[in-house]
Amino acid sequence: MEVTKEWREHFKQLRAFDEAISLLYWDMRTQMPEQSAPLRAETIGYLSTEAFKRQTSESFASLLERMADEKDLSDVEARSLEIAKTQYERNAKIPHNEYQAYVTLVSEAETAWEKAKEQNDWDMFAPYLKQIIEFQQKFAEYFGYEKHPYDALLYDFEPGMTVELLDELFASLRDELVPLIQQLPKESLSLDWSMPADVQETICHDWMNVVAYDLSRGRLDATVHPFEITINRRDVRITTKYDEADFRNALFGTMHEAGHATYEQQIDPMLDELGLGGGASMGIHESQSLFFENFIGRSEAFLRRVYPKLQSLHPAYAAIDFDTFYRGVNEAKPSLIRIEADELTYSLHIIIRYELEKALIQGTLSVDELPAAWNEKYKEYLGLDVPSNAKGVLQDVHWAGGSFGYFPSYALGLIYAAQLTETLKSALPEFETLIAEGEIEPVKAWLKENVHQYGKRLTPNELIQQVTGQAISVQPLVRYLTKKYQTVAK
Amino acid sequence: MEVTKEWREHFKQLRAFDEAISLLYWDMRTQMPEQSAPLRAETIGYLSTEAFKRQTSESFASLLERMADEKDLSDVEARSLEIAKTQYERNAKIPHNEYQAYVTLVSEAETAWEKAKEQNDWDMFAPYLKQIIEFQQKFAEYFGYEKHPYDALLYDFEPGMTVELLDELFASLRDELVPLIQQLPKESLSLDWSMPADVQETICHDWMNVVAYDLSRGRLDATVHPFEITINRRDVRITTKYDEADFRNALFGTMHEAGHATYEQQIDPMLDELGLGGGASMGIHESQSLFFENFIGRSEAFLRRVYPKLQSLHPAYAAIDFDTFYRGVNEAKPSLIRIEADELTYSLHIIIRYELEKALIQGTLSVDELPAAWNEKYKEYLGLDVPSNAKGVLQDVHWAGGSFGYFPSYALGLIYAAQLTETLKSALPEFETLIAEGEIEPVKAWLKENVHQYGKRLTPNELIQQVTGQAISVQPLVRYLTKKYQTVAK
């Protein structure tokens, strides 16, 4: 077989494994009888191992070499080779037995973290975290880096991103956000956000219609922890959770997942057979979910369009005027829990975590010092006293799962989203009118043409540069938030 | 690794592949957006090929040899080896290129058959059937047989079954059934069997409760073509179709699939890691579905229990007395379509197909002669004129799919079910009282203990012999049908 054909065959097989594994996971979270859990975990384990073997086998190493020797690779084939080679080399650098020990540790750590959070007991989790950080430090050395060990870990989430750049971005973002937050009104609106689950479900489907998430190539189901999952390019599913105490969670959560899903649906399907399907990075992916959730979903134009229907389905809101609803949806105030934070204060939660995990990996902060350091930063950046580790340093699963370098993606998503939205609005000056009229297709087409179709063909940096003509910058986000919170707090 | 450990590891991996493939299939039929179909087919294809490779690889051949050299295999390990070896040898006997050509042919033949049936055009399908039969004849020679080439094909569905035995069983069954059928009343009851789908769904769930199909280790969903599918031993799912014109289809169809599923749920889970999970044969599996559908579901005891609830949910039946309902549910008369046939005439549909396919494989009947031969047998055995090939020889997909040797399983299922039921009733003389009182657990426990738990540990023949103390015999079925239709037609 020709080398490039064999190359594509490799990725087509991997895609098939991915489809099976994704479906096994989706089913586990939405359909499967609970008793099946241990066998399902075993099945996912076997298939994941099988897929991993294909990416690390000697025969794939030989294919990589033959591919590297090929003349006349197309641009996209060359990009495919570049990514696969880097990934292969990263995998090959970690000794097999260390990786096995690490996988076991992480699985135990997640269980320990769950209990530790439940019982507000930091000491239950700390020993695991220490070992995880030791592994991560070793892995960073194996992978190699130029300036900072944390750079080596960022690759898995945001290829090309560095501590040097993040320090600069996050410092200026923090300096701009803190005064904005200080100007927020102190009093709360205290609206009643409760709504029956079935009404939420109807409204979610209505909103999906308005943003034209293509349900003929997807599904919307209920789960405990909402997620988007790509079964294949023509089957991108999302889930949501109908929280009867606060309908904002389901409505905006669904918009968020629909943003991820629309990205996945609009990636050029041919890229799958080169391993270039999927988003450019976690940050770019998050920019698309946040674009749908915040830049469309929480915008005045969109909300004005959907509010009358919401009122008719939910009579408790019949007497609440649009301005109150709009301000309620966009209410911002410092809070302890990241996943409950509003779009104005959210980045500060991320910056805190970034600064802490960077120091942990560098070795300038110890695990024993971590809870106190966490609490200090929440006081300094958000003005809050952290009442317990459960509501502080133990709140997120990421560190227990060994995901060091993941947190920055969330804030990068906001930064990218604001940059892309500025460009989008200059390309489509009628953007707000389109949203107000429920004419989302030109927006989706612009995103497909300029962002989505590329998948992993461009690095995040290349993509942002190509679309906006500029490097990554926090200014568009600052402009957006400044303008918005002047209106909301008016 | 120890050989027996490696052996179990092989089957555990196969089980994982089976779970993934089954789930991909289930999802395709119940959840998947339609647009995903081509990619899903590709995914199932890749994973099936991967699973097949593991069963036919050189490394498995070597494992088979080492396993055969092992002393002190347990009984169950020896049985595992026996089945795996036979299957490996059968697979190895077919030249790879012939098998590939055959797979392609069958896939084209199924498409051709679908159109041929739709357009009532035998000539569209006949050329494919000729080629399929040529392949099947060749395969029979490759596999080898003692007396009849059809014996070689029966192995895939009913290991140990032969033409010699089937001829004897079916001849005596036919001779007993024909006079019974001739005594049936000529007039029809003409009840209105329509019912809204949501009421059918409620009743189906109610019936599942009465027969204690364990939905905590399964699911019941809607599909176009109902089926049972084992995701794993703790997740056995069934589907049904709510036909608003005739609720008997969904109600008894669900009972049928619940019978298959209960068998699968009660197989000893340890057998999966020896490749001995799953039913003893197609015939034994069918006996369990038919036991639930007919010997419980259509019994007076069961129906008396569930009828008041059905009447309360379906007021159109409030004025219809139980006897009329019971006779309606059990109404028997000769008909053209196998899948719509009642339990009295059903076996004749099977015997006709058996006689025809046996002759086709033997070469004593040609494909060109087949439609006329079909019509003659329907006249002779059921007294019916076949109005079109669409309602005759083209009605079933089995031959298009290359499943020669499959049809007898349906009638063997009835025969086995009647034998097992006679034994069950002598072990549990209070059987009918239990059913009437909705106390199904002792019945399920007896089935588990005597039939289900064994999976493929026993051959169908060994199983029937062990449970009933006798070889396969049509007499219990004849006794059951004679008694029942004396009552129904009274």
Side-chain angles (χ1 to χ4, degrees), chain A residues 107-126 128 389-390 394 397 400:
Chain A
S107 149
E108 291 166 1
E110 284 182 338
T111 310
W113 165 79
E114 225 169 294
K115 279 194 198 146
K117 181 179 175 182
E118 208 180 282
Q119 299 174 26
N120 187 33
D121 185 347
W122 170 252
D123 294 336
M124 280 177 75
F125 176 54
Y128 292 96
N389 287 326
L394 281 171
V397 70

Side-chain angles (χ1 to χ4, degrees), chain A residues 9 13 15 19 27 31 33 35-36 40 43 46 50 54 216-217 219 231-232 234-235 237, chain B residues 9 13 15 19 27 31 33 35-36 40 43 46 50 54 216 219 231-232 234-235 237:
Chain A
E9 190 55 28
Q13 289 189 12
R15 191 208 64 71
E19 175 161 352
D27 180 78
Q31 313 286 337
Q35 291 202 39
S36 173
R40 178 59 55 89
T43 300
Y46 272 115
E50 191 58 38
R54 277 154 194 271
S216 78
R217 296 187 294 149
R219 292 179 56 93
I231 308 296
N232 63 48
R234 290 178 178 177
D235 184 1
R237 306 183 183 185
Chain B
E9 190 57 28
Q13 290 190 13
R15 190 207 65 72
E19 174 161 353
D27 181 77
Q31 312 286 337
Q35 291 203 36
S36 173
R40 179 59 54 89
T43 300
Y46 273 114
E50 191 59 38
R54 277 155 195 271
S216 78
R219 291 179 57 92
I231 308 294
N232 62 49
R234 289 179 179 176
D235 184 2
R237 305 181 184 186

